[in-house]
Amino acid sequence: MWVDLAQLVSALAVTLTLIAVVVSIRQNTRSQKALAVDSLAAAITSINVPAMKSHALGSALSKATTDWGSASREERIIAHYFLFSFFKLLENAWYQQKTGILDQAQWIGWETLLRKYYHADGVRRVWWPSRTHAHSPELQKFLSGTNPPGELCRLLDLFDDGERNGLNTP
């Protein structure tokens, strides 16, 4: 009888230990997901802060993404480095979404931006073909199967024609 009681207590202790491990793993997973989201937010901020300090990046992007050839050499250089950083960041977000780290609800905004830039004429016709090799074959395949988002205006419209098109309404 004592042996049976000891086995029962031992089984209960093992069960409680396993429950504690499962709870700990879940908390750790949530914490890691939150860190991934924070990391993406910090990365996009580090890309956009320089644009807030100088209009050159916004101007370069609006021209180069619309028509690569309409941008000056300096604007194309600025646009290239932004686009390279931005696409690498979005590739990271895409992989995090694929592995379940980034929730689908969070991914939707990132995906919309990714499709917006990928399908911009200047990117699609000039920049992307010359930089495809810098991105994973899986991301390349994903992007080739996407459509441009209809819900976002072009940067050129936002920056240059915002008031005329009613985009600056409160």
Side-chain angles (χ1 to χ4, degrees):
M1 179 172 132
W2 292 107
V3 171
D4 289 341
L5 184 59
Q7 287 178 344
L8 182 63
V9 169
S10 176
L12 183 60
V14 168
T15 302
L16 290 174
T17 301
L18 288 175
I19 290 171
V21 168
V22 167
V23 168
S24 177
I25 289 171
R26 281 189 171 178
Q27 288 174 340
N28 188 29
T29 301
R30 276 191 288 245
S31 175
Q32 291 301 318
K33 285 182 177 186
L35 285 173
V37 170
D38 285 347
S39 173
L40 289 172
I44 195 65
T45 299
S46 71
I47 291 173
N48 282 314
V49 166
M52 293 184 304
K53 292 180 180 178
S54 168
H55 72 281
L57 176 57
S59 179
L61 275 175
S62 68
K63 286 181 184 177
T65 58
T66 301
D67 176 9
W68 193 260
S70 72
S72 69
R73 182 176 189 277
E74 288 176 355
E75 288 170 328
R76 290 191 302 264
I77 291 169
I78 291 169
H80 160 73
Y81 285 108
F82 173 85
L83 289 169
F84 184 78
S85 298
F86 192 62
F87 271 82
K88 278 302 190 181
L89 170 63
L90 290 172
E91 184 174 21
N92 183 328
W94 180 72
Y95 273 109
Q96 288 183 25
Q97 179 270 332
K98 277 186 63 171
T99 60
I101 294 170
L102 191 64
D103 293 334
Q104 184 62 29
Q106 295 165 326
W107 167 242
I108 290 170
W110 291 103
E111 180 192 15
T112 302
L113 282 174
L114 178 57
R115 289 185 298 124
K116 178 200 174 299
Y117 279 96
Y118 175 74
H119 288 286
D121 282 343
V123 172
R124 192 80 176 156
R125 294 175 193 239
V126 180
W127 186 83
W128 182 255
S130 68
R131 290 295 171 251
T132 301
H133 64 279
H135 301 280
S136 70
E138 293 87 3
L139 180 69
Q140 294 172 40
K141 183 178 178 185
F142 168 76
L143 286 173
S144 68
T146 64
N147 295 315
E151 59 272 14
L152 288 177
C153 68
R154 299 174 311 154
L155 286 177
L156 188 64
D157 296 331
L158 183 64
F159 294 158
D160 296 341
D161 297 329
E163 282 183 19
R164 188 174 57 224
N165 292 328
L167 295 174
N168 285 345
T169 57

PDB file of all heavy atoms in Angstrom, residues 133-168:
ATOM      1  N   HIS A 133      18.663  38.628 -56.375  1.00  0.00           N
ATOM      2  CA  HIS A 133      19.589  37.644 -55.815  1.00  0.00           C
ATOM      3  C   HIS A 133      19.934  37.901 -54.348  1.00  0.00           C
ATOM      4  O   HIS A 133      20.438  37.017 -53.663  1.00  0.00           O
ATOM      5  CB  HIS A 133      20.873  37.601 -56.642  1.00  0.00           C
ATOM      6  CG  HIS A 133      21.634  38.897 -56.584  1.00  0.00           C
ATOM      7  ND1 HIS A 133      21.302  39.982 -57.366  1.00  0.00           N
ATOM      8  CD2 HIS A 133      22.685  39.280 -55.813  1.00  0.00           C
ATOM      9  CE1 HIS A 133      22.117  40.992 -57.081  1.00  0.00           C
ATOM     10  NE2 HIS A 133      22.967  40.589 -56.153  1.00  0.00           N
ATOM     11  N   ALA A 134      19.657  39.084 -53.847  1.00  0.00           N
ATOM     12  CA  ALA A 134      19.959  39.406 -52.452  1.00  0.00           C
ATOM     13  C   ALA A 134      18.881  38.892 -51.500  1.00  0.00           C
ATOM     14  O   ALA A 134      19.013  39.028 -50.283  1.00  0.00           O
ATOM     15  CB  ALA A 134      20.123  40.917 -52.282  1.00  0.00           C
ATOM     16  N   HIS A 135      17.827  38.291 -52.056  1.00  0.00           N
ATOM     17  CA  HIS A 135      16.709  37.819 -51.233  1.00  0.00           C
ATOM     18  C   HIS A 135      16.477  36.340 -51.475  1.00  0.00           C
ATOM     19  O   HIS A 135      16.821  35.804 -52.524  1.00  0.00           O
ATOM     20  CB  HIS A 135      15.451  38.634 -51.546  1.00  0.00           C
ATOM     21  CG  HIS A 135      15.653  40.092 -51.292  1.00  0.00           C
ATOM     22  ND1 HIS A 135      15.590  40.640 -50.038  1.00  0.00           N
ATOM     23  CD2 HIS A 135      15.972  41.101 -52.126  1.00  0.00           C
ATOM     24  CE1 HIS A 135      15.845  41.935 -50.117  1.00  0.00           C
ATOM     25  NE2 HIS A 135      16.088  42.232 -51.374  1.00  0.00           N
ATOM     26  N   SER A 136      15.877  35.698 -50.503  1.00  0.00           N
ATOM     27  CA  SER A 136      15.703  34.248 -50.569  1.00  0.00           C
ATOM     28  C   SER A 136      14.795  33.839 -51.734  1.00  0.00           C
ATOM     29  O   SER A 136      13.873  34.570 -52.103  1.00  0.00           O
ATOM     30  CB  SER A 136      15.098  33.737 -49.256  1.00  0.00           C
ATOM     31  OG  SER A 136      13.753  34.167 -49.147  1.00  0.00           O
ATOM     32  N   PRO A 137      15.056  32.677 -52.295  1.00  0.00           N
ATOM     33  CA  PRO A 137      14.182  32.173 -53.365  1.00  0.00           C
ATOM     34  C   PRO A 137      12.724  32.047 -52.898  1.00  0.00           C
ATOM     35  O   PRO A 137      11.810  32.272 -53.680  1.00  0.00           O
ATOM     36  CB  PRO A 137      14.770  30.797 -53.696  1.00  0.00           C
ATOM     37  CG  PRO A 137      16.194  30.879 -53.264  1.00  0.00           C
ATOM     38  CD  PRO A 137      16.202  31.793 -52.066  1.00  0.00           C
ATOM     39  N   GLU A 138      12.521  31.729 -51.616  1.00  0.00           N
ATOM     40  CA  GLU A 138      11.161  31.609 -51.099  1.00  0.00           C
ATOM     41  C   GLU A 138      10.442  32.953 -51.127  1.00  0.00           C
ATOM     42  O   GLU A 138       9.274  33.038 -51.504  1.00  0.00           O
ATOM     43  CB  GLU A 138      11.165  31.052 -49.666  1.00  0.00           C
ATOM     44  CG  GLU A 138      11.642  29.619 -49.569  1.00  0.00           C
ATOM     45  CD  GLU A 138      13.166  29.506 -49.440  1.00  0.00           C
ATOM     46  OE1 GLU A 138      13.864  30.537 -49.368  1.00  0.00           O
ATOM     47  OE2 GLU A 138      13.657  28.372 -49.424  1.00  0.00           O
ATOM     48  N   LEU A 139      11.131  34.030 -50.731  1.00  0.00           N
ATOM     49  CA  LEU A 139      10.518  35.357 -50.773  1.00  0.00           C
ATOM     50  C   LEU A 139      10.270  35.773 -52.220  1.00  0.00           C
ATOM     51  O   LEU A 139       9.213  36.327 -52.533  1.00  0.00           O
ATOM     52  CB  LEU A 139      11.386  36.403 -50.077  1.00  0.00           C
ATOM     53  CG  LEU A 139      10.783  37.820 -50.083  1.00  0.00           C
ATOM     54  CD1 LEU A 139       9.548  37.891 -49.188  1.00  0.00           C
ATOM     55  CD2 LEU A 139      11.817  38.848 -49.658  1.00  0.00           C
ATOM     56  N   GLN A 140      11.209  35.492 -53.095  1.00  0.00           N
ATOM     57  CA  GLN A 140      11.032  35.821 -54.509  1.00  0.00           C
ATOM     58  C   GLN A 140       9.777  35.142 -55.063  1.00  0.00           C
ATOM     59  O   GLN A 140       8.973  35.774 -55.771  1.00  0.00           O
ATOM     60  CB  GLN A 140      12.254  35.379 -55.317  1.00  0.00           C
ATOM     61  CG  GLN A 140      13.518  36.140 -54.978  1.00  0.00           C
ATOM     62  CD  GLN A 140      14.724  35.534 -55.664  1.00  0.00           C
ATOM     63  OE1 GLN A 140      14.652  35.128 -56.819  1.00  0.00           O
ATOM     64  NE2 GLN A 140      15.844  35.469 -54.974  1.00  0.00           N
ATOM     65  N   LYS A 141       9.602  33.879 -54.733  1.00  0.00           N
ATOM     66  CA  LYS A 141       8.430  33.133 -55.207  1.00  0.00           C
ATOM     67  C   LYS A 141       7.154  33.725 -54.623  1.00  0.00           C
ATOM     68  O   LYS A 141       6.158  33.898 -55.334  1.00  0.00           O
ATOM     69  CB  LYS A 141       8.556  31.655 -54.819  1.00  0.00           C
ATOM     70  CG  LYS A 141       7.426  30.802 -55.321  1.00  0.00           C
ATOM     71  CD  LYS A 141       7.632  29.353 -54.947  1.00  0.00           C
ATOM     72  CE  LYS A 141       6.443  28.524 -55.419  1.00  0.00           C
ATOM     73  NZ  LYS A 141       6.557  27.140 -54.982  1.00  0.00           N
ATOM     74  N   PHE A 142       7.172  34.036 -53.335  1.00  0.00           N
ATOM     75  CA  PHE A 142       6.009  34.643 -52.701  1.00  0.00           C
ATOM     76  C   PHE A 142       5.635  35.951 -53.397  1.00  0.00           C
ATOM     77  O   PHE A 142       4.473  36.160 -53.759  1.00  0.00           O
ATOM     78  CB  PHE A 142       6.287  34.899 -51.215  1.00  0.00           C
ATOM     79  CG  PHE A 142       5.263  35.781 -50.559  1.00  0.00           C
ATOM     80  CD1 PHE A 142       4.008  35.291 -50.230  1.00  0.00           C
ATOM     81  CD2 PHE A 142       5.555  37.113 -50.281  1.00  0.00           C
ATOM     82  CE1 PHE A 142       3.059  36.118 -49.636  1.00  0.00           C
ATOM     83  CE2 PHE A 142       4.619  37.943 -49.688  1.00  0.00           C
ATOM     84  CZ  PHE A 142       3.365  37.438 -49.373  1.00  0.00           C
ATOM     85  N   LEU A 143       6.613  36.825 -53.594  1.00  0.00           N
ATOM     86  CA  LEU A 143       6.337  38.131 -54.196  1.00  0.00           C
ATOM     87  C   LEU A 143       5.825  38.001 -55.629  1.00  0.00           C
ATOM     88  O   LEU A 143       4.937  38.756 -56.037  1.00  0.00           O
ATOM     89  CB  LEU A 143       7.582  39.013 -54.157  1.00  0.00           C
ATOM     90  CG  LEU A 143       7.938  39.577 -52.789  1.00  0.00           C
ATOM     91  CD1 LEU A 143       9.278  40.289 -52.823  1.00  0.00           C
ATOM     92  CD2 LEU A 143       6.842  40.506 -52.291  1.00  0.00           C
ATOM     93  N   SER A 144       6.373  37.058 -56.382  1.00  0.00           N
ATOM     94  CA  SER A 144       5.940  36.910 -57.775  1.00  0.00           C
ATOM     95  C   SER A 144       4.477  36.485 -57.878  1.00  0.00           C
ATOM     96  O   SER A 144       3.851  36.692 -58.915  1.00  0.00           O
ATOM     97  CB  SER A 144       6.838  35.917 -58.517  1.00  0.00           C
ATOM     98  OG  SER A 144       6.640  34.607 -58.017  1.00  0.00           O
ATOM     99  N   GLY A 145       3.935  35.946 -56.805  1.00  0.00           N
ATOM    100  CA  GLY A 145       2.534  35.524 -56.807  1.00  0.00           C
ATOM    101  C   GLY A 145       1.586  36.532 -56.191  1.00  0.00           C
ATOM    102  O   GLY A 145       0.419  36.223 -55.983  1.00  0.00           O
ATOM    103  N   THR A 146       2.072  37.731 -55.888  1.00  0.00           N
ATOM    104  CA  THR A 146       1.216  38.732 -55.243  1.00  0.00           C
ATOM    105  C   THR A 146       0.672  39.736 -56.244  1.00  0.00           C
ATOM    106  O   THR A 146       1.167  39.862 -57.356  1.00  0.00           O
ATOM    107  CB  THR A 146       1.986  39.494 -54.143  1.00  0.00           C
ATOM    108  OG1 THR A 146       3.052  40.242 -54.746  1.00  0.00           O
ATOM    109  CG2 THR A 146       2.520  38.564 -53.071  1.00  0.00           C
ATOM    110  N   ASN A 147      -0.324  40.457 -55.800  1.00  0.00           N
ATOM    111  CA  ASN A 147      -0.909  41.560 -56.559  1.00  0.00           C
ATOM    112  C   ASN A 147      -0.663  42.856 -55.804  1.00  0.00           C
ATOM    113  O   ASN A 147      -0.543  42.849 -54.573  1.00  0.00           O
ATOM    114  CB  ASN A 147      -2.418  41.359 -56.732  1.00  0.00           C
ATOM    115  CG  ASN A 147      -2.725  40.147 -57.569  1.00  0.00           C
ATOM    116  OD1 ASN A 147      -2.113  39.935 -58.608  1.00  0.00           O
ATOM    117  ND2 ASN A 147      -3.669  39.339 -57.122  1.00  0.00           N
ATOM    118  N   PRO A 148      -0.649  43.986 -56.515  1.00  0.00           N
ATOM    119  CA  PRO A 148      -0.472  45.262 -55.808  1.00  0.00           C
ATOM    120  C   PRO A 148      -1.689  45.554 -54.934  1.00  0.00           C
ATOM    121  O   PRO A 148      -2.810  45.217 -55.303  1.00  0.00           O
ATOM    122  CB  PRO A 148      -0.347  46.287 -56.939  1.00  0.00           C
ATOM    123  CG  PRO A 148      -0.796  45.618 -58.170  1.00  0.00           C
ATOM    124  CD  PRO A 148      -0.752  44.149 -57.950  1.00  0.00           C
ATOM    125  N   PRO A 149      -1.438  46.146 -53.770  1.00  0.00           N
ATOM    126  CA  PRO A 149      -2.577  46.490 -52.908  1.00  0.00           C
ATOM    127  C   PRO A 149      -3.305  47.707 -53.460  1.00  0.00           C
ATOM    128  O   PRO A 149      -2.687  48.659 -53.903  1.00  0.00           O
ATOM    129  CB  PRO A 149      -1.916  46.806 -51.566  1.00  0.00           C
ATOM    130  CG  PRO A 149      -0.559  47.291 -51.924  1.00  0.00           C
ATOM    131  CD  PRO A 149      -0.170  46.528 -53.167  1.00  0.00           C
ATOM    132  N   GLY A 150      -4.593  47.673 -53.447  1.00  0.00           N
ATOM    133  CA  GLY A 150      -5.366  48.804 -53.928  1.00  0.00           C
ATOM    134  C   GLY A 150      -5.611  49.855 -52.871  1.00  0.00           C
ATOM    135  O   GLY A 150      -5.982  50.973 -53.167  1.00  0.00           O
ATOM    136  N   GLU A 151      -5.354  49.505 -51.622  1.00  0.00           N
ATOM    137  CA  GLU A 151      -5.729  50.392 -50.530  1.00  0.00           C
ATOM    138  C   GLU A 151      -4.686  51.458 -50.178  1.00  0.00           C
ATOM    139  O   GLU A 151      -4.950  52.315 -49.356  1.00  0.00           O
ATOM    140  CB  GLU A 151      -6.090  49.585 -49.275  1.00  0.00           C
ATOM    141  CG  GLU A 151      -4.983  48.681 -48.744  1.00  0.00           C
ATOM    142  CD  GLU A 151      -4.946  47.283 -49.347  1.00  0.00           C
ATOM    143  OE1 GLU A 151      -5.583  47.020 -50.361  1.00  0.00           O
ATOM    144  OE2 GLU A 151      -4.234  46.446 -48.776  1.00  0.00           O
ATOM    145  N   LEU A 152      -3.516  51.417 -50.762  1.00  0.00           N
ATOM    146  CA  LEU A 152      -2.486  52.412 -50.463  1.00  0.00           C
ATOM    147  C   LEU A 152      -2.182  53.262 -51.685  1.00  0.00           C
ATOM    148  O   LEU A 152      -1.983  52.744 -52.776  1.00  0.00           O
ATOM    149  CB  LEU A 152      -1.183  51.743 -50.003  1.00  0.00           C
ATOM    150  CG  LEU A 152      -1.180  51.118 -48.622  1.00  0.00           C
ATOM    151  CD1 LEU A 152       0.157  50.447 -48.351  1.00  0.00           C
ATOM    152  CD2 LEU A 152      -1.468  52.140 -47.548  1.00  0.00           C
ATOM    153  N   CYS A 153      -2.106  54.563 -51.463  1.00  0.00           N
ATOM    154  CA  CYS A 153      -1.734  55.446 -52.570  1.00  0.00           C
ATOM    155  C   CYS A 153      -0.214  55.411 -52.758  1.00  0.00           C
ATOM    156  O   CYS A 153       0.516  54.940 -51.899  1.00  0.00           O
ATOM    157  CB  CYS A 153      -2.201  56.871 -52.292  1.00  0.00           C
ATOM    158  SG  CYS A 153      -1.346  57.681 -50.929  1.00  0.00           S
ATOM    159  N   ARG A 154       0.228  55.925 -53.877  1.00  0.00           N
ATOM    160  CA  ARG A 154       1.658  56.011 -54.139  1.00  0.00           C
ATOM    161  C   ARG A 154       2.263  57.125 -53.286  1.00  0.00           C
ATOM    162  O   ARG A 154       1.579  58.084 -52.934  1.00  0.00           O
ATOM    163  CB  ARG A 154       1.919  56.331 -55.616  1.00  0.00           C
ATOM    164  CG  ARG A 154       1.408  55.309 -56.579  1.00  0.00           C
ATOM    165  CD  ARG A 154       1.571  55.744 -58.020  1.00  0.00           C
ATOM    166  NE  ARG A 154       1.057  57.109 -58.187  1.00  0.00           N
ATOM    167  CZ  ARG A 154       1.470  57.953 -59.135  1.00  0.00           C
ATOM    168  NH1 ARG A 154       2.367  57.581 -60.003  1.00  0.00           N
ATOM    169  NH2 ARG A 154       0.962  59.158 -59.224  1.00  0.00           N
ATOM    170  N   LEU A 155       3.552  57.014 -52.986  1.00  0.00           N
ATOM    171  CA  LEU A 155       4.225  58.074 -52.247  1.00  0.00           C
ATOM    172  C   LEU A 155       4.159  59.393 -52.997  1.00  0.00           C
ATOM    173  O   LEU A 155       4.001  60.453 -52.391  1.00  0.00           O
ATOM    174  CB  LEU A 155       5.692  57.705 -51.988  1.00  0.00           C
ATOM    175  CG  LEU A 155       5.938  56.644 -50.931  1.00  0.00           C
ATOM    176  CD1 LEU A 155       7.429  56.329 -50.850  1.00  0.00           C
ATOM    177  CD2 LEU A 155       5.420  57.066 -49.585  1.00  0.00           C
ATOM    178  N   LEU A 156       4.288  59.329 -54.310  1.00  0.00           N
ATOM    179  CA  LEU A 156       4.221  60.539 -55.119  1.00  0.00           C
ATOM    180  C   LEU A 156       2.888  61.258 -54.886  1.00  0.00           C
ATOM    181  O   LEU A 156       2.846  62.470 -54.723  1.00  0.00           O
ATOM    182  CB  LEU A 156       4.393  60.192 -56.599  1.00  0.00           C
ATOM    183  CG  LEU A 156       4.534  61.363 -57.561  1.00  0.00           C
ATOM    184  CD1 LEU A 156       5.804  62.156 -57.273  1.00  0.00           C
ATOM    185  CD2 LEU A 156       4.562  60.860 -58.997  1.00  0.00           C
ATOM    186  N   ASP A 157       1.796  60.488 -54.837  1.00  0.00           N
ATOM    187  CA  ASP A 157       0.489  61.090 -54.577  1.00  0.00           C
ATOM    188  C   ASP A 157       0.424  61.666 -53.164  1.00  0.00           C
ATOM    189  O   ASP A 157      -0.110  62.751 -52.949  1.00  0.00           O
ATOM    190  CB  ASP A 157      -0.628  60.056 -54.743  1.00  0.00           C
ATOM    191  CG  ASP A 157      -0.745  59.545 -56.163  1.00  0.00           C
ATOM    192  OD1 ASP A 157      -0.402  60.294 -57.099  1.00  0.00           O
ATOM    193  OD2 ASP A 157      -1.169  58.389 -56.329  1.00  0.00           O
ATOM    194  N   LEU A 158       0.949  60.947 -52.222  1.00  0.00           N
ATOM    195  CA  LEU A 158       0.914  61.384 -50.833  1.00  0.00           C
ATOM    196  C   LEU A 158       1.777  62.614 -50.606  1.00  0.00           C
ATOM    197  O   LEU A 158       1.340  63.585 -49.979  1.00  0.00           O
ATOM    198  CB  LEU A 158       1.394  60.242 -49.923  1.00  0.00           C
ATOM    199  CG  LEU A 158       1.358  60.497 -48.425  1.00  0.00           C
ATOM    200  CD1 LEU A 158      -0.072  60.706 -47.959  1.00  0.00           C
ATOM    201  CD2 LEU A 158       1.985  59.313 -47.696  1.00  0.00           C
ATOM    202  N   PHE A 159       2.995  62.612 -51.136  1.00  0.00           N
ATOM    203  CA  PHE A 159       3.923  63.714 -50.907  1.00  0.00           C
ATOM    204  C   PHE A 159       3.639  64.923 -51.786  1.00  0.00           C
ATOM    205  O   PHE A 159       3.642  66.044 -51.320  1.00  0.00           O
ATOM    206  CB  PHE A 159       5.370  63.276 -51.152  1.00  0.00           C
ATOM    207  CG  PHE A 159       5.889  62.259 -50.174  1.00  0.00           C
ATOM    208  CD1 PHE A 159       6.952  61.451 -50.520  1.00  0.00           C
ATOM    209  CD2 PHE A 159       5.347  62.107 -48.921  1.00  0.00           C
ATOM    210  CE1 PHE A 159       7.458  60.517 -49.629  1.00  0.00           C
ATOM    211  CE2 PHE A 159       5.827  61.181 -48.018  1.00  0.00           C
ATOM    212  CZ  PHE A 159       6.893  60.388 -48.381  1.00  0.00           C
ATOM    213  N   ASP A 160       3.418  64.681 -53.065  1.00  0.00           N
ATOM    214  CA  ASP A 160       3.345  65.782 -54.016  1.00  0.00           C
ATOM    215  C   ASP A 160       1.936  66.282 -54.284  1.00  0.00           C
ATOM    216  O   ASP A 160       1.731  67.456 -54.524  1.00  0.00           O
ATOM    217  CB  ASP A 160       3.982  65.373 -55.350  1.00  0.00           C
ATOM    218  CG  ASP A 160       5.464  65.082 -55.192  1.00  0.00           C
ATOM    219  OD1 ASP A 160       6.061  65.515 -54.198  1.00  0.00           O
ATOM    220  OD2 ASP A 160       6.017  64.407 -56.074  1.00  0.00           O
ATOM    221  N   ASP A 161       0.950  65.400 -54.255  1.00  0.00           N
ATOM    222  CA  ASP A 161      -0.397  65.778 -54.647  1.00  0.00           C
ATOM    223  C   ASP A 161      -1.408  65.566 -53.529  1.00  0.00           C
ATOM    224  O   ASP A 161      -2.600  65.523 -53.779  1.00  0.00           O
ATOM    225  CB  ASP A 161      -0.835  64.954 -55.863  1.00  0.00           C
ATOM    226  CG  ASP A 161       0.039  65.218 -57.075  1.00  0.00           C
ATOM    227  OD1 ASP A 161       0.525  66.339 -57.199  1.00  0.00           O
ATOM    228  OD2 ASP A 161       0.219  64.287 -57.876  1.00  0.00           O
ATOM    229  N   GLY A 162      -0.956  65.412 -52.305  1.00  0.00           N
ATOM    230  CA  GLY A 162      -1.839  65.092 -51.181  1.00  0.00           C
ATOM    231  C   GLY A 162      -2.997  66.037 -50.993  1.00  0.00           C
ATOM    232  O   GLY A 162      -4.143  65.625 -50.880  1.00  0.00           O
ATOM    233  N   GLU A 163      -2.736  67.330 -50.974  1.00  0.00           N
ATOM    234  CA  GLU A 163      -3.810  68.305 -50.772  1.00  0.00           C
ATOM    235  C   GLU A 163      -4.769  68.300 -51.947  1.00  0.00           C
ATOM    236  O   GLU A 163      -5.988  68.320 -51.772  1.00  0.00           O
ATOM    237  CB  GLU A 163      -3.234  69.707 -50.564  1.00  0.00           C
ATOM    238  CG  GLU A 163      -2.687  69.913 -49.179  1.00  0.00           C
ATOM    239  CD  GLU A 163      -2.194  71.330 -48.972  1.00  0.00           C
ATOM    240  OE1 GLU A 163      -2.574  72.242 -49.736  1.00  0.00           O
ATOM    241  OE2 GLU A 163      -1.426  71.525 -48.031  1.00  0.00           O
ATOM    242  N   ARG A 164      -4.247  68.267 -53.153  1.00  0.00           N
ATOM    243  CA  ARG A 164      -5.090  68.310 -54.344  1.00  0.00           C
ATOM    244  C   ARG A 164      -5.996  67.080 -54.426  1.00  0.00           C
ATOM    245  O   ARG A 164      -7.131  67.164 -54.865  1.00  0.00           O
ATOM    246  CB  ARG A 164      -4.207  68.426 -55.597  1.00  0.00           C
ATOM    247  CG  ARG A 164      -5.034  68.661 -56.847  1.00  0.00           C
ATOM    248  CD  ARG A 164      -4.186  68.934 -58.073  1.00  0.00           C
ATOM    249  NE  ARG A 164      -3.263  67.827 -58.296  1.00  0.00           N
ATOM    250  CZ  ARG A 164      -1.985  68.008 -58.616  1.00  0.00           C
ATOM    251  NH1 ARG A 164      -1.464  69.207 -58.733  1.00  0.00           N
ATOM    252  NH2 ARG A 164      -1.203  66.972 -58.822  1.00  0.00           N
ATOM    253  N   ASN A 165      -5.509  65.929 -53.961  1.00  0.00           N
ATOM    254  CA  ASN A 165      -6.297  64.711 -54.037  1.00  0.00           C
ATOM    255  C   ASN A 165      -7.115  64.441 -52.785  1.00  0.00           C
ATOM    256  O   ASN A 165      -7.686  63.371 -52.631  1.00  0.00           O
ATOM    257  CB  ASN A 165      -5.385  63.498 -54.317  1.00  0.00           C
ATOM    258  CG  ASN A 165      -4.785  63.550 -55.692  1.00  0.00           C
ATOM    259  OD1 ASN A 165      -5.403  64.071 -56.616  1.00  0.00           O
ATOM    260  ND2 ASN A 165      -3.575  63.045 -55.843  1.00  0.00           N
ATOM    261  N   GLY A 166      -7.107  65.380 -51.844  1.00  0.00           N
ATOM    262  CA  GLY A 166      -7.892  65.216 -50.626  1.00  0.00           C
ATOM    263  C   GLY A 166      -7.296  64.263 -49.626  1.00  0.00           C
ATOM    264  O   GLY A 166      -7.983  63.767 -48.752  1.00  0.00           O
ATOM    265  N   LEU A 167      -6.009  63.989 -49.753  1.00  0.00           N
ATOM    266  CA  LEU A 167      -5.381  63.041 -48.827  1.00  0.00           C
ATOM    267  C   LEU A 167      -5.005  63.690 -47.500  1.00  0.00           C
ATOM    268  O   LEU A 167      -4.729  62.998 -46.545  1.00  0.00           O
ATOM    269  CB  LEU A 167      -4.121  62.428 -49.468  1.00  0.00           C
ATOM    270  CG  LEU A 167      -4.377  61.566 -50.692  1.00  0.00           C
ATOM    271  CD1 LEU A 167      -3.052  61.146 -51.320  1.00  0.00           C
ATOM    272  CD2 LEU A 167      -5.212  60.367 -50.357  1.00  0.00           C
ATOM    273  N   ASN A 168      -4.979  65.006 -47.442  1.00  0.00           N
ATOM    274  CA  ASN A 168      -4.606  65.685 -46.199  1.00  0.00           C
ATOM    275  C   ASN A 168      -5.821  66.115 -45.382  1.00  0.00           C
ATOM    276  O   ASN A 168      -5.742  67.007 -44.576  1.00  0.00           O
ATOM    277  CB  ASN A 168      -3.748  66.930 -46.504  1.00  0.00           C
ATOM    278  CG  ASN A 168      -2.344  66.548 -46.904  1.00  0.00           C
ATOM    279  OD1 ASN A 168      -1.940  65.410 -46.699  1.00  0.00           O
ATOM    280  ND2 ASN A 168      -1.621  67.484 -47.478  1.00  0.00           N
TER     281      ASN A 168
END
